[in-house]
Amino acid sequence: MRTTLNGALVATALLAAPIAGPAQAAAIVPGFNSTTLPANDDDSTDSVALGFSFNFYGTSYSTAFVNNNGNITFASALSTFTAFPLLSTNAVIIAAFFADVDTTGAGSGIVSYGTGTFGGQQAFGVNWPNVGYFANGDDKLNDFQLLLVDRSDIGTGNADIYFNYGAMQWESGNASGGSNGLGGSCARAGFSNGIDDAYELAGSATCSALIDGGANALNTASNIGTPGRQLFQVRNGTVVINVEVPEPASLALLGIGLAALGVARRRR
C-alpha cells in the first residue's frame, strides 16, 4: 500500500503588460507525422530519437518509445491498455490520454510521430488522429497530440510538454470494463518520474469527465487559455504545473524569457 501526499510550491514572475499573440484555429498543430505506427492494438515503436535532450525529473533523455495507448515512455515500451494511477508506476511516462487505443477499426486513424518545430523551437511530436478503441471500435474517435518542445534556448535540458486535444468521444476500451467506449476503468492523462512524483489532469480516471461535454472536457480545458491545450514547463528537471505565461511564440513577440511560476505535485 502506498500513501499519497500532496504539496505545492509557488513562485512568481513579473511580466510586461500583455500583448495579444497570434490567433490559433485549433489546439492540435500540423506535422510531426513523418513516421507511422501501423494499425494495431497495444503495440509500440522501438526507441526513437527526440532530436534533442531534455532533463525530466533530473534524468536526461534523448529517445522515447511511442506507445499506441496514448503515451510515451523512456526506459522501455509499454503495452498496458488499462490506465493505472500514474503515481503507482515504475515507468517514466508522459501520457496525453492513457487508454486502450485500437487503430485496427476501418474508421480509425493511425498513430504518427516525428520531429519538427513549434514556436520557433525544435520539437518532437506524436499524433493520435481520430483513433478508435478496443475492440475495433470506430463509432467514437479521439483526436489528440503530444509535443515535447526543446527549450535549451533558456537553459540546458529545459523543455515544454504540450497536450493538445480535438474531439474526444470515448474514454475506455471494452477490455477495461467499458461498453461502446464508455464507462469501466476510464482514461488518465499526466506524467510520472516512475519513482515518487506524478501529476494527473483534473478528471483523470473519472468516467465522463474528460470526453466532450464532460466536467473536465479535454477539448475545452486549458491551463494557458487556449482551449484544448495544456502546457507543462520542464525547468532544471522540475515540472511547472500552473503555467500563467504566454506560449513561446507570444513570448518572442514580447521579448521576454519564460520564468518558472510554480510546481504542484503528488508524492508517494
Side-chain angles (χ1 to χ4, degrees):
M1 175 81 60
R2 292 188 172 102
T3 302
T4 300
L5 302 177
N6 295 307
L9 171 65
V10 178
T12 59
L14 296 177
L15 299 178
I19 298 175
Q24 290 180 290
I28 295 174
V29 299
F32 307 100
N33 58 359
S34 60
T35 308
T36 57
L37 183 60
N40 76 91
D41 177 48
D42 303 335
D43 283 351
S44 304
T45 67
D46 293 330
S47 181
V48 297
L50 302 177
F52 57 92
S53 179
F54 83 110
N55 177 2
F56 190 51
Y57 289 104
T59 300
S60 183
Y61 299 99
S62 58
T63 62
F65 296 85
V66 175
N67 304 307
N68 203 61
N69 291 326
N71 62 80
I72 64 173
T73 47
F74 295 90
S76 61
L78 182 69
S79 61
T80 303
F81 53 83
T82 298
F84 44 72
L86 298 185
L87 192 65
S88 70
T89 183
N90 292 321
V92 182
I93 185 172
I94 301 175
F97 191 81
F98 185 9
D100 197 358
V101 176
D102 183 347
T103 59
T104 62
S108 175
I110 59 174
V111 175
S112 63
Y113 60 93
T115 58
T117 60
F118 179 74
Q121 305 298 326
Q122 189 172 5
F124 175 83
V126 185
N127 305 298
W128 287 266
N130 296 311
V131 294
Y133 61 92
F134 184 82
N136 310 117
D138 59 5
D139 60 312
K140 301 177 182 70
L141 300 172
N142 287 348
D143 189 16
F144 59 102
Q145 179 183 58
L146 188 161
L147 297 182
L148 297 181
V149 182
D150 179 23
R151 295 313 311 275
S152 58
D153 60 313
I154 56 173
T156 301
N158 288 347
D160 290 338
I161 301 170
Y162 285 90
F163 293 164
N164 297 327
Y165 301 97
M168 302 293 288
Q169 300 176 339
W170 63 266
E171 59 193 353
S172 63
N174 293 353
S176 301
S179 176
N180 297 318
L182 303 175
S185 296
C186 290
R188 295 176 181 265
F191 41 83
S192 174
N193 69 350
I195 302 173
D196 60 359
D197 210 341
Y199 175 83
E200 295 190 15
L201 298 186
S204 268
T206 302
C207 291
S208 79
L210 299 181
I211 57 177
D212 296 356
N216 306 103
L218 294 172
N219 70 346
T220 56
S222 178
N223 64 347
I224 54 172
T226 301
R229 175 168 293 167
Q230 302 283 342
L231 166 62
F232 305 101
Q233 298 167 322
V234 186
R235 303 293 183 261
N236 300 315
T238 299
V239 185
V240 181
I241 306 299
N242 298 313
V243 178
E244 296 179 358
V245 296
E247 297 182 65
S250 298
L251 283 173
L253 294 175
L254 290 172
I256 62 176
L258 290 173
L261 295 186
V263 178
R265 63 182 68 166
R266 302 179 193 174
R267 291 190 180 275
R268 291 195 189 116

